[in-house]
Amino acid sequence: MFSVTLITVGKCKEKFYLAAADEYAKRLGAYCKFKLIELAETRLPEDPSPAEIRNGLSKEAELIEAQ
């Protein structure tokens, strides 16, 4: 059986997105092993500099690669 892992950065908060994700996971369950991993997003200041954005993205990339 195939294995599908979906890695997301940040949590899904909207109810309609959560319902849709649950429905897709249920449907995919018949064809593959589905796993959803939600990682914490990196918080940035109100007006981030380009360097702060690059650092935040690199930290998120490291979290993704670790999974």
Side-chain angles (χ1 to χ4, degrees), residues 35-60:
K35 182 177 176 183
L36 175 64
I37 300 174
E38 293 178 326
L39 302 174
E41 61 187 54
T42 302
R43 298 287 181 188
L44 296 175
E46 189 66 33
D47 189 22
S49 69
E52 291 172 325
I53 294 172
R54 276 194 305 275
N55 287 338
L57 289 174
S58 66
K59 287 178 186 177
E60 289 176 352

PDB file of all heavy atoms in Angstrom, residues 35-60:
ATOM      1  N   LYS A  35      -1.052  10.433   6.086  1.00  0.00           N
ATOM      2  CA  LYS A  35      -0.590  11.006   7.342  1.00  0.00           C
ATOM      3  C   LYS A  35      -0.444  12.510   7.155  1.00  0.00           C
ATOM      4  O   LYS A  35       0.168  12.964   6.181  1.00  0.00           O
ATOM      5  CB  LYS A  35       0.759  10.386   7.718  1.00  0.00           C
ATOM      6  CG  LYS A  35       1.328  10.848   9.021  1.00  0.00           C
ATOM      7  CD  LYS A  35       2.626  10.091   9.289  1.00  0.00           C
ATOM      8  CE  LYS A  35       3.301  10.581  10.538  1.00  0.00           C
ATOM      9  NZ  LYS A  35       4.582   9.894  10.746  1.00  0.00           N
ATOM     10  N   LEU A  36      -1.010  13.278   8.074  1.00  0.00           N
ATOM     11  CA  LEU A  36      -0.921  14.736   8.048  1.00  0.00           C
ATOM     12  C   LEU A  36      -0.060  15.193   9.206  1.00  0.00           C
ATOM     13  O   LEU A  36      -0.303  14.835  10.358  1.00  0.00           O
ATOM     14  CB  LEU A  36      -2.314  15.372   8.162  1.00  0.00           C
ATOM     15  CG  LEU A  36      -2.369  16.887   8.278  1.00  0.00           C
ATOM     16  CD1 LEU A  36      -1.819  17.541   7.009  1.00  0.00           C
ATOM     17  CD2 LEU A  36      -3.784  17.350   8.540  1.00  0.00           C
ATOM     18  N   ILE A  37       0.976  15.988   8.885  1.00  0.00           N
ATOM     19  CA  ILE A  37       1.866  16.537   9.902  1.00  0.00           C
ATOM     20  C   ILE A  37       1.761  18.051   9.834  1.00  0.00           C
ATOM     21  O   ILE A  37       2.035  18.648   8.792  1.00  0.00           O
ATOM     22  CB  ILE A  37       3.323  16.093   9.678  1.00  0.00           C
ATOM     23  CG1 ILE A  37       3.432  14.573   9.743  1.00  0.00           C
ATOM     24  CG2 ILE A  37       4.247  16.756  10.690  1.00  0.00           C
ATOM     25  CD1 ILE A  37       4.794  14.040   9.387  1.00  0.00           C
ATOM     26  N   GLU A  38       1.353  18.666  10.937  1.00  0.00           N
ATOM     27  CA  GLU A  38       1.243  20.125  11.014  1.00  0.00           C
ATOM     28  C   GLU A  38       2.387  20.643  11.876  1.00  0.00           C
ATOM     29  O   GLU A  38       2.509  20.284  13.043  1.00  0.00           O
ATOM     30  CB  GLU A  38      -0.093  20.541  11.614  1.00  0.00           C
ATOM     31  CG  GLU A  38      -1.267  20.199  10.741  1.00  0.00           C
ATOM     32  CD  GLU A  38      -2.591  20.576  11.379  1.00  0.00           C
ATOM     33  OE1 GLU A  38      -2.706  20.493  12.624  1.00  0.00           O
ATOM     34  OE2 GLU A  38      -3.494  20.957  10.637  1.00  0.00           O
ATOM     35  N   LEU A  39       3.222  21.483  11.290  1.00  0.00           N
ATOM     36  CA  LEU A  39       4.355  22.060  11.993  1.00  0.00           C
ATOM     37  C   LEU A  39       4.036  23.483  12.431  1.00  0.00           C
ATOM     38  O   LEU A  39       3.255  24.179  11.789  1.00  0.00           O
ATOM     39  CB  LEU A  39       5.590  22.077  11.086  1.00  0.00           C
ATOM     40  CG  LEU A  39       6.038  20.723  10.538  1.00  0.00           C
ATOM     41  CD1 LEU A  39       7.181  20.918   9.556  1.00  0.00           C
ATOM     42  CD2 LEU A  39       6.453  19.809  11.661  1.00  0.00           C
ATOM     43  N   ALA A  40       4.673  23.910  13.495  1.00  0.00           N
ATOM     44  CA  ALA A  40       4.471  25.276  13.983  1.00  0.00           C
ATOM     45  C   ALA A  40       5.147  26.255  13.026  1.00  0.00           C
ATOM     46  O   ALA A  40       6.247  26.005  12.536  1.00  0.00           O
ATOM     47  CB  ALA A  40       5.059  25.420  15.376  1.00  0.00           C
ATOM     48  N   GLU A  41       4.466  27.349  12.770  1.00  0.00           N
ATOM     49  CA  GLU A  41       5.054  28.360  11.893  1.00  0.00           C
ATOM     50  C   GLU A  41       5.979  29.271  12.686  1.00  0.00           C
ATOM     51  O   GLU A  41       5.820  29.445  13.889  1.00  0.00           O
ATOM     52  CB  GLU A  41       3.969  29.181  11.205  1.00  0.00           C
ATOM     53  CG  GLU A  41       3.075  29.928  12.146  1.00  0.00           C
ATOM     54  CD  GLU A  41       1.918  30.591  11.432  1.00  0.00           C
ATOM     55  OE1 GLU A  41       1.196  29.893  10.713  1.00  0.00           O
ATOM     56  OE2 GLU A  41       1.770  31.806  11.598  1.00  0.00           O
ATOM     57  N   THR A  42       6.947  29.842  11.989  1.00  0.00           N
ATOM     58  CA  THR A  42       7.877  30.777  12.619  1.00  0.00           C
ATOM     59  C   THR A  42       7.223  32.146  12.684  1.00  0.00           C
ATOM     60  O   THR A  42       6.745  32.661  11.679  1.00  0.00           O
ATOM     61  CB  THR A  42       9.180  30.855  11.800  1.00  0.00           C
ATOM     62  OG1 THR A  42       9.747  29.550  11.717  1.00  0.00           O
ATOM     63  CG2 THR A  42      10.169  31.786  12.456  1.00  0.00           C
ATOM     64  N   ARG A  43       7.195  32.717  13.867  1.00  0.00           N
ATOM     65  CA  ARG A  43       6.602  34.043  14.056  1.00  0.00           C
ATOM     66  C   ARG A  43       7.608  35.115  13.648  1.00  0.00           C
ATOM     67  O   ARG A  43       8.780  35.046  13.997  1.00  0.00           O
ATOM     68  CB  ARG A  43       6.196  34.260  15.513  1.00  0.00           C
ATOM     69  CG  ARG A  43       5.146  33.298  15.983  1.00  0.00           C
ATOM     70  CD  ARG A  43       3.832  33.646  15.368  1.00  0.00           C
ATOM     71  NE  ARG A  43       2.820  32.716  15.852  1.00  0.00           N
ATOM     72  CZ  ARG A  43       1.610  32.686  15.378  1.00  0.00           C
ATOM     73  NH1 ARG A  43       1.247  33.513  14.435  1.00  0.00           N
ATOM     74  NH2 ARG A  43       0.741  31.824  15.833  1.00  0.00           N
ATOM     75  N   LEU A  44       7.116  36.108  12.925  1.00  0.00           N
ATOM     76  CA  LEU A  44       7.941  37.226  12.493  1.00  0.00           C
ATOM     77  C   LEU A  44       7.426  38.503  13.133  1.00  0.00           C
ATOM     78  O   LEU A  44       6.258  38.595  13.492  1.00  0.00           O
ATOM     79  CB  LEU A  44       7.888  37.368  10.966  1.00  0.00           C
ATOM     80  CG  LEU A  44       8.458  36.208  10.153  1.00  0.00           C
ATOM     81  CD1 LEU A  44       8.213  36.444   8.676  1.00  0.00           C
ATOM     82  CD2 LEU A  44       9.935  36.026  10.418  1.00  0.00           C
ATOM     83  N   PRO A  45       8.295  39.520  13.261  1.00  0.00           N
ATOM     84  CA  PRO A  45       7.825  40.806  13.789  1.00  0.00           C
ATOM     85  C   PRO A  45       6.822  41.460  12.841  1.00  0.00           C
ATOM     86  O   PRO A  45       6.623  41.008  11.714  1.00  0.00           O
ATOM     87  CB  PRO A  45       9.098  41.640  13.910  1.00  0.00           C
ATOM     88  CG  PRO A  45      10.193  40.857  13.311  1.00  0.00           C
ATOM     89  CD  PRO A  45       9.707  39.496  12.992  1.00  0.00           C
ATOM     90  N   GLU A  46       6.204  42.538  13.281  1.00  0.00           N
ATOM     91  CA  GLU A  46       5.173  43.222  12.500  1.00  0.00           C
ATOM     92  C   GLU A  46       5.670  43.647  11.121  1.00  0.00           C
ATOM     93  O   GLU A  46       4.997  43.479  10.124  1.00  0.00           O
ATOM     94  CB  GLU A  46       4.678  44.444  13.291  1.00  0.00           C
ATOM     95  CG  GLU A  46       3.468  45.124  12.707  1.00  0.00           C
ATOM     96  CD  GLU A  46       2.225  44.252  12.748  1.00  0.00           C
ATOM     97  OE1 GLU A  46       2.073  43.454  13.691  1.00  0.00           O
ATOM     98  OE2 GLU A  46       1.398  44.367  11.823  1.00  0.00           O
ATOM     99  N   ASP A  47       6.852  44.223  11.058  1.00  0.00           N
ATOM    100  CA  ASP A  47       7.430  44.679   9.784  1.00  0.00           C
ATOM    101  C   ASP A  47       8.798  44.017   9.611  1.00  0.00           C
ATOM    102  O   ASP A  47       9.833  44.628   9.891  1.00  0.00           O
ATOM    103  CB  ASP A  47       7.556  46.206   9.784  1.00  0.00           C
ATOM    104  CG  ASP A  47       7.942  46.754   8.421  1.00  0.00           C
ATOM    105  OD1 ASP A  47       7.708  46.065   7.413  1.00  0.00           O
ATOM    106  OD2 ASP A  47       8.504  47.869   8.386  1.00  0.00           O
ATOM    107  N   PRO A  48       8.825  42.751   9.151  1.00  0.00           N
ATOM    108  CA  PRO A  48      10.093  42.014   9.105  1.00  0.00           C
ATOM    109  C   PRO A  48      11.010  42.511   7.990  1.00  0.00           C
ATOM    110  O   PRO A  48      10.571  42.923   6.916  1.00  0.00           O
ATOM    111  CB  PRO A  48       9.662  40.573   8.846  1.00  0.00           C
ATOM    112  CG  PRO A  48       8.374  40.705   8.119  1.00  0.00           C
ATOM    113  CD  PRO A  48       7.723  41.939   8.667  1.00  0.00           C
ATOM    114  N   SER A  49      12.287  42.435   8.264  1.00  0.00           N
ATOM    115  CA  SER A  49      13.282  42.769   7.248  1.00  0.00           C
ATOM    116  C   SER A  49      13.478  41.539   6.357  1.00  0.00           C
ATOM    117  O   SER A  49      13.102  40.424   6.728  1.00  0.00           O
ATOM    118  CB  SER A  49      14.597  43.153   7.917  1.00  0.00           C
ATOM    119  OG  SER A  49      15.184  42.011   8.527  1.00  0.00           O
ATOM    120  N   PRO A  50      14.084  41.731   5.185  1.00  0.00           N
ATOM    121  CA  PRO A  50      14.341  40.562   4.327  1.00  0.00           C
ATOM    122  C   PRO A  50      15.195  39.492   5.014  1.00  0.00           C
ATOM    123  O   PRO A  50      14.987  38.304   4.802  1.00  0.00           O
ATOM    124  CB  PRO A  50      15.065  41.168   3.125  1.00  0.00           C
ATOM    125  CG  PRO A  50      14.569  42.579   3.067  1.00  0.00           C
ATOM    126  CD  PRO A  50      14.389  42.984   4.503  1.00  0.00           C
ATOM    127  N   ALA A  51      16.125  39.904   5.853  1.00  0.00           N
ATOM    128  CA  ALA A  51      16.965  38.932   6.571  1.00  0.00           C
ATOM    129  C   ALA A  51      16.129  38.123   7.561  1.00  0.00           C
ATOM    130  O   ALA A  51      16.333  36.912   7.699  1.00  0.00           O
ATOM    131  CB  ALA A  51      18.095  39.654   7.297  1.00  0.00           C
ATOM    132  N   GLU A  52      15.196  38.777   8.248  1.00  0.00           N
ATOM    133  CA  GLU A  52      14.331  38.060   9.195  1.00  0.00           C
ATOM    134  C   GLU A  52      13.421  37.082   8.463  1.00  0.00           C
ATOM    135  O   GLU A  52      13.167  35.978   8.957  1.00  0.00           O
ATOM    136  CB  GLU A  52      13.497  39.046   9.998  1.00  0.00           C
ATOM    137  CG  GLU A  52      14.295  39.875  10.980  1.00  0.00           C
ATOM    138  CD  GLU A  52      13.487  40.977  11.630  1.00  0.00           C
ATOM    139  OE1 GLU A  52      12.615  41.559  10.956  1.00  0.00           O
ATOM    140  OE2 GLU A  52      13.742  41.245  12.816  1.00  0.00           O
ATOM    141  N   ILE A  53      12.953  37.463   7.297  1.00  0.00           N
ATOM    142  CA  ILE A  53      12.122  36.560   6.492  1.00  0.00           C
ATOM    143  C   ILE A  53      12.933  35.351   6.059  1.00  0.00           C
ATOM    144  O   ILE A  53      12.468  34.206   6.157  1.00  0.00           O
ATOM    145  CB  ILE A  53      11.526  37.301   5.280  1.00  0.00           C
ATOM    146  CG1 ILE A  53      10.546  38.376   5.752  1.00  0.00           C
ATOM    147  CG2 ILE A  53      10.846  36.319   4.325  1.00  0.00           C
ATOM    148  CD1 ILE A  53      10.053  39.294   4.654  1.00  0.00           C
ATOM    149  N   ARG A  54      14.162  35.580   5.578  1.00  0.00           N
ATOM    150  CA  ARG A  54      15.029  34.465   5.168  1.00  0.00           C
ATOM    151  C   ARG A  54      15.298  33.530   6.336  1.00  0.00           C
ATOM    152  O   ARG A  54      15.262  32.305   6.180  1.00  0.00           O
ATOM    153  CB  ARG A  54      16.348  34.990   4.601  1.00  0.00           C
ATOM    154  CG  ARG A  54      16.290  35.369   3.151  1.00  0.00           C
ATOM    155  CD  ARG A  54      17.675  35.548   2.555  1.00  0.00           C
ATOM    156  NE  ARG A  54      18.490  36.510   3.307  1.00  0.00           N
ATOM    157  CZ  ARG A  54      18.470  37.822   3.134  1.00  0.00           C
ATOM    158  NH1 ARG A  54      17.659  38.350   2.241  1.00  0.00           N
ATOM    159  NH2 ARG A  54      19.255  38.606   3.844  1.00  0.00           N
ATOM    160  N   ASN A  55      15.580  34.089   7.517  1.00  0.00           N
ATOM    161  CA  ASN A  55      15.842  33.252   8.693  1.00  0.00           C
ATOM    162  C   ASN A  55      14.610  32.434   9.077  1.00  0.00           C
ATOM    163  O   ASN A  55      14.719  31.252   9.414  1.00  0.00           O
ATOM    164  CB  ASN A  55      16.268  34.114   9.881  1.00  0.00           C
ATOM    165  CG  ASN A  55      17.670  34.658   9.726  1.00  0.00           C
ATOM    166  OD1 ASN A  55      18.467  34.117   8.976  1.00  0.00           O
ATOM    167  ND2 ASN A  55      17.966  35.733  10.440  1.00  0.00           N
ATOM    168  N   GLY A  56      13.437  33.062   9.029  1.00  0.00           N
ATOM    169  CA  GLY A  56      12.204  32.343   9.342  1.00  0.00           C
ATOM    170  C   GLY A  56      11.941  31.211   8.367  1.00  0.00           C
ATOM    171  O   GLY A  56      11.574  30.097   8.771  1.00  0.00           O
ATOM    172  N   LEU A  57      12.147  31.469   7.084  1.00  0.00           N
ATOM    173  CA  LEU A  57      11.943  30.428   6.075  1.00  0.00           C
ATOM    174  C   LEU A  57      12.951  29.293   6.220  1.00  0.00           C
ATOM    175  O   LEU A  57      12.608  28.122   6.038  1.00  0.00           O
ATOM    176  CB  LEU A  57      12.018  31.033   4.670  1.00  0.00           C
ATOM    177  CG  LEU A  57      10.848  31.926   4.277  1.00  0.00           C
ATOM    178  CD1 LEU A  57      11.111  32.585   2.918  1.00  0.00           C
ATOM    179  CD2 LEU A  57       9.553  31.158   4.242  1.00  0.00           C
ATOM    180  N   SER A  58      14.187  29.620   6.557  1.00  0.00           N
ATOM    181  CA  SER A  58      15.187  28.571   6.719  1.00  0.00           C
ATOM    182  C   SER A  58      14.875  27.701   7.945  1.00  0.00           C
ATOM    183  O   SER A  58      15.074  26.492   7.912  1.00  0.00           O
ATOM    184  CB  SER A  58      16.593  29.147   6.816  1.00  0.00           C
ATOM    185  OG  SER A  58      16.755  29.899   7.986  1.00  0.00           O
ATOM    186  N   LYS A  59      14.356  28.311   9.021  1.00  0.00           N
ATOM    187  CA  LYS A  59      13.962  27.527  10.191  1.00  0.00           C
ATOM    188  C   LYS A  59      12.808  26.596   9.856  1.00  0.00           C
ATOM    189  O   LYS A  59      12.805  25.421  10.264  1.00  0.00           O
ATOM    190  CB  LYS A  59      13.553  28.447  11.343  1.00  0.00           C
ATOM    191  CG  LYS A  59      14.712  29.148  11.996  1.00  0.00           C
ATOM    192  CD  LYS A  59      14.238  30.069  13.098  1.00  0.00           C
ATOM    193  CE  LYS A  59      15.377  30.891  13.669  1.00  0.00           C
ATOM    194  NZ  LYS A  59      14.921  31.826  14.691  1.00  0.00           N
ATOM    195  N   GLU A  60      11.826  27.085   9.093  1.00  0.00           N
ATOM    196  CA  GLU A  60      10.711  26.226   8.677  1.00  0.00           C
ATOM    197  C   GLU A  60      11.186  25.109   7.756  1.00  0.00           C
ATOM    198  O   GLU A  60      10.713  23.976   7.852  1.00  0.00           O
ATOM    199  CB  GLU A  60       9.629  27.056   8.008  1.00  0.00           C
ATOM    200  CG  GLU A  60       8.881  27.938   8.985  1.00  0.00           C
ATOM    201  CD  GLU A  60       7.863  28.845   8.327  1.00  0.00           C
ATOM    202  OE1 GLU A  60       7.814  28.915   7.074  1.00  0.00           O
ATOM    203  OE2 GLU A  60       7.090  29.497   9.063  1.00  0.00           O
TER     204      GLU A  60
END
